[in-house]
Structures are given as C-alpha cells and as structure tokens.
Amino acid sequence: MKLVLINPRNPVSLYGDYLWQPLAFGYVAAATPEHWTVELIDEQVEGARDYGDVEADLVGLTAFTPQAPRAYHIAAQFRSRGIPVVMGGIHASLVQEEAAQHADALFIGECETLWPTVVADVEAGRLQPIYNGGTKAASLLQPNRTIFEKYDYEYVSAQTSRGCPMDCSFCSVTVFNGRLFRMRTVEEVVAEIAAIPQTDIIFVDDDLNGFSRAARQRCLDLFRAMVDAGLKKQWITQVTINFGDDDELPAAARAAGCSGVFIGLESTDTKSLALIRKDGMSQRRGIEYYRENVARIRRHGIGVVGSFILGIDSQDMNTIAGDILTFAEETGLDALNPTILTPLPGTRDYKSLDADGRILFKNYPQDWEKYTLAFPVTSMPNISGAGLMRKYVEVLQYFRPERVAARYWKTCEAVSPDAAWHAFLWNRVWTNYCLKNGAFRKSPLFESYPESIARSVPERPAVFA
Ligand code: B12
C-alpha cells in the first residue's frame, strides 16, 4: 500500500525558495503503519506539477491558508481517478466546511494518535468523512525524517513544544494548537536531535522559551543537555522578546548552538501593541524594552530577525513604516520580516474585520492565495491599500542586495559569523521576492498593485485606486 503526502505550492508565496522540511508530514509518516510505503512530494521544492501519473492508495494533503486553493486543485486530480484524499493541517482544521468539499476525509487537529485509525479505515474500505485528532497530546512521536531525504532542504525541522500562552488577535496558533503550552521532555528532544545527521536545525516552536517559570527552566535544561550531549548543531528558532530579559537564557542558548532568533516585535508603538493584544510587558515598556533585549541577545552572538506588522488600525501614513526602518538601523536588526495585517481564518481579527465588512477579498477558496501576509486584503481606517503598499515598498528597501551584503558583514563583526549566515538566508528570501516583484525599481512602484501580484487579483477595489 502506498501513501503519497503532498505539500502544495503557493503561487504567490514569499517563502517558495526557503527550504524547511514540512514537519507535519514527518509526524504523519511516523504514525503510518510500517507495511505502507510513504512518499513525499514537496511542491515548495519541485514547483507545481501534474499528478496524472502518480499512483497511490491514499493521498494526504496539508495546507497553510495561502496553499489551500492549490491543495484543492491537487485533490481534484486524484479524486477524479478514484484515489482517496485526506486533507489535514491548519487551514482544513479552521475552515472545515470548505475543505470538506474538496477531500474524501478531513483530518482536524494533530495526527499522532488518530492517523493509524484513518489508515486502517482506508484498508477496510470504510473511510469516514471526518476525523478529529484534537490538540491535547502531551508527548509527540519521533518524526520519521526519511521521507525528507529525497530533497536538499536548508534546515531540518524539529519541534520541542506546541501551543502558545499568548493571545494575539492576528495569530492562528492559539486557535489551532490551544493556549496550553505543551512541552516535550528534554530527554526526548535531545535523543531526537542526536539522531539528526545534518548541522542546521530550525525549531519550529512558536515560542521556544514560553512565559512561565517552568517553561524557562525547561529551556535552560534543554540547552545544557544539548551541550552535555555534545550535539554541535547550529540552530534557529522563534522566541518572545522576554528571551532577552537577562543574560542567562541567551548565554545558555548560545552555548547549545543558537545562531538566530525570530521575534514578533510587531510594532514600535505601544498603542498598536495594545490593539493586537501583544503581551503586557511589551505593551507597557514598548520600544525601550525592545532595544535593550535585542542588544542583549545580540551581545551573546545570536542574530535577531525582527518581525513587524503594517496595517494596524492605529497606524496612518506618517507612522506606519518609518519607525520600523529607524528601529532596524538603530538596533542593528540582523534580518527583517515585514508583514501586512491579514485576517487569518479562525482568528479574532477575522471575526471582527469580517463583522465590520472590511475584508475585501472573499472570493474563497481562490482568494486564500492572497493571504500571504505580504498583501493587503482588508480596508484600513487611516490609510488606503495603495498607500500601504507604497509604505511597504519603503520598508522592503531594507532587502536591496547591496544592503543585505553590507548587513552580513556587520552581523559577522557585531554578532557572530554563523548569526550572519543564518540572517543572510532569511534576508535572501525577501531579496528574491522583491526582485521578482520589482520592488527595487525606480518607478513609483506598488502605487497600484505590483504586476506580479495583480495577475492573481480579479479586480481592483476602489480603495486601492
Ligand atoms: C515553520 C513555519 C513556517 C515555515 C514553513 C515550513 C514548512 N514547510 O512547513 C515558513 C517560514 C516557510 C513559513 C511560511 C509561512 N507561514 Co508559517 N509557520 C510555521 C510555524 C511556526 C510552524 C509550522 C510547523 O512546522 N508546525 C509543526 C507541525 C508538526 O504542525 P502542523 O503543521 O500543525 O501539523 C500537525 C497537524 O496540523 C496535522 N497535520 C498537518 N498536516 C496534515 C496533513 C494530514 C494528511 C494529516 C492527517 C494531518 C496533518 O498533523 C501534524 C502533527 O500533529 C507555524 C506555526 C504553527 N504552530 O504551526 C506558522 C504558520 C503555520 N505559518 C503561517 C503563515 C501565515 C505563513 C505564511 C503564509 C506567511 C508568512 N509570511 O509567514 C508563509 C507561507 C507558507 C506557504 N507555504 O505558503 C500561519 C498559518 C495560518 C494559517 N491559517 O494557515 C502559522 C500558523 C503562524 C501564525 N502565527 O498564524 N511558515
């Protein structure tokens, strides 16, 4: 019996050329009985393709929201040949009615415990329309990474925790994985990492260090155990800004091989942070707190990728972009992740923006491919879509090739050579994206929609004119 797992390409995705293993499938593969053959097809690596010649007894699809239209297209190809398709992942879990129309079975939640039942049901010819794996599992299987061997990924993905105690209004993690912060044991994680032959690892946790004292202690224990086990990895991850509250955590992380951390700073003004319900300390202390902690983390040799959101209701043309670049310059941010506020399904932002009639692109499922966080899909009170795109392009100048090169050397000197390398890999994605979309041209770009994005936009609402 053969299971084919497919990670669909998102045609307007920013991250198409950034190669991380889609870890979800490592878990699906691990939960699949051994008498099945499992094959991965990762369109983020290969590009979109035709499936007329792909044989399978079962197809498993995953999708983040912008990948959903492509996932449905792939599903249709297999279903027309009578091959059953199961769709799982965050989009199918959050937009169930829609996803159910495109698959033979929906898999909601996490796969570890219930996936063997689905496979048994396929074998017995009694596949059910819906399975719910929940999001409560305390411990995880060791993922099966042999399926990833066919591709040359830049990072091996691993995960040490699930869930996020924060409650940011734009984020779908809380809605999907829950607010309970579920931590794997140090022994389990170290054993898993020790079995990985590659050096470069990404911990895809949403918030590796968490907020509780127990979470912090687990991190310290994990870092020390990684040193004791002599793992010698270079790794990057996501943390919250409190990671830099003192020297202990960054020092221990660095000793264990940490090269970079991605931090959702979101905004430089406290009013915006309050609107999106960012954590209390960030709201109270804002930019000064950010400055101190970014500096402390970098002093330990760890690079910082700062993620920001443009398009929060409090922002206007004067405040929306300039502060980000100034902050990046002054603090020496090693890489940037500029995003546009996007109502992802299931989030509080989606509910409230939808209730106010502010979501402009609702021709679902096709319009989901615009929910890349690099494209305005809502109207804003103080700024037009075109205005926002103009400001967005100002921020994107951070990624001009000569600047990215200069920043590489600066990070090499001020932080560490490995931090510079991993920050460069991140910035390079954006540079390529900007080159593809013409964001560095001299013409008054993005005043209307950039051509490459416009090709997927059926019409241009007045707000963008
Ligand atoms: C790593 C990561 C990335 C990596 C992608 C790596 C990869 N190839 O998977 C990168 C940086 C490239 C990335 C990019 C983007 N990401 Co991202 N990313 C994440 C992150 C932090 C972890 C994902 C992960 O690996 N989780 C671990 C796995 C094990 O969990 P899982 O995917 O949920 O899988 C479990 C279940 O869902 C289920 N399952 C999943 N698929 C399937 C399939 C079947 C058949 C079955 C049975 C079960 C099943 O079983 C798994 C094990 O239990 C998540 C946050 C999160 N906590 O998920 C955000 C997240 C998924 N990303 C998000 C977004 C928005 C994006 C972007 C669109 C935008 C952006 N600017 O960041 C892009 C575009 C990606 C694209 N392909 O189009 C959102 C998605 C929201 C949504 N509604 O889709 C999230 C949730 C972040 C958030 N704060 O809201 N991302």
Side-chain angles (χ1 to χ4, degrees), residues 184-383:
R184 296 175 67 200
T185 65
V186 168
E187 295 72 34
E188 249 181 32
V189 176
V190 171
E192 182 179 326
I193 304 305
I196 295 173
Q198 294 93 324
T199 308
D200 291 352
I201 293 180
I202 156 98
F203 288 116
V204 298
D205 299 48
D206 292 296
D207 181 9
L208 188 77
N209 58 316
F211 267 84
S212 65
R213 220 180 275 165
R216 179 188 158 87
Q217 190 56 48
R218 186 203 65 132
C219 252
L220 286 169
D221 294 345
L222 174 63
F223 299 154
R224 286 166 190 156
M226 286 171 77
V227 175
D228 291 346
L231 296 184
K232 298 204 170 36
K233 303 292 182 193
Q234 278 185 18
W235 52 272
I236 57 172
T237 193
Q238 289 188 96
V239 295
T240 311
I241 186 72
N242 65 353
F243 177 76
D245 278 356
D246 58 40
D247 288 298
E248 194 179 17
L249 211 47
R254 180 66 186 159
C258 183
S259 296
V261 290
F262 176 107
I263 307 183
L265 300 172
E266 325 303 5
S267 173
T268 51
D269 83 275
T270 42
K271 209 161 132 205
S272 299
L273 292 175
L275 268 183
I276 55 174
R277 292 270 309 267
K278 197 69 190 169
D279 70 285
M281 184 65 98
S282 298
Q283 281 182 41
R284 275 194 303 281
R285 294 192 48 201
I287 193 157
E288 267 322 303
Y289 177 50
Y290 282 179
R291 274 188 216 283
E292 283 165 24
N293 284 18
V294 167
R296 191 172 296 115
I297 295 167
R298 293 180 82 237
R299 271 202 300 275
H300 285 279
I302 298 172
V304 176
V305 185
S307 186
F308 290 93
I309 302 176
L310 282 80
I312 301 172
D313 278 2
S314 52
Q315 298 169 340
D316 60 32
M317 283 299 269
N318 294 322
T319 58
I320 193 165
D323 292 353
I324 297 176
L325 288 179
T326 312
F327 179 84
E329 198 51 47
E330 286 174 5
T331 57
L333 275 187
D334 306 287
L336 202 64
N337 188 56
T339 63
I340 293 175
L341 188 74
T342 304
L344 291 166
T347 58
R348 279 204 313 283
D349 275 356
Y350 191 98
K351 285 188 196 97
S352 65
L353 287 162
D354 194 35
D356 293 345
R358 289 176 51 190
I359 302 184
L360 301 168
F361 292 97
K362 287 185 66 178
N363 179 25
Y364 304 133
Q366 206 48 47
D367 275 351
W368 291 127
E369 75 173 28
K370 301 184 187 72
Y371 287 56
T372 56
L373 318 194
F375 185 83
V377 296
T378 71
S379 63
M380 290 151 278
N382 306 315
I383 191 164

Side-chain angles (χ1 to χ4, degrees), residues 95-113:
V95 195
Q96 297 174 13
E97 245 170 64
E98 172 194 285
Q101 292 168 32
H102 299 274
D104 298 286
L106 260 195
F107 194 99
I108 297 164
E110 297 169 7
C111 73
E112 282 77 359
T113 47

Side-chain angles (χ1 to χ4, degrees), residues 5 7 10 13-15 18 20-25 27-28 44 60-62 64-67 86-91 94 107 109-112 115 159 162 170-173 176-177 204-206 238 339 344-345 371-373 426:
L5 298 171
N7 187 28
N10 167 16
S13 169
L14 185 58
Y15 292 105
Y18 197 57
W20 298 8
Q21 297 171 342
L23 185 60
F25 283 150
Y27 286 108
V28 176
Q44 297 286 31
L61 281 160
T62 192
F64 299 167
T65 290
Q67 292 165 288
V86 179
M87 192 151 340
I90 190 157
H91 185 80
L94 296 177
F107 194 99
E110 297 169 7
C111 73
E112 282 77 359
W115 179 246
Q159 192 176 36
R162 283 187 186 165
F170 56 87
C171 178
S172 34
V173 171
F176 177 64
N177 292 109
V204 298
D205 299 48
D206 292 296
Q238 289 188 96
T339 63
L344 291 166
Y371 287 56
T372 56
L373 318 194
W426 184 270

Side-chain angles (χ1 to χ4, degrees), residues 9 54 69 146 269 274 405 414 421:
R9 184 134 180 102
V54 175
T146 55
D269 83 275
W421 172 244

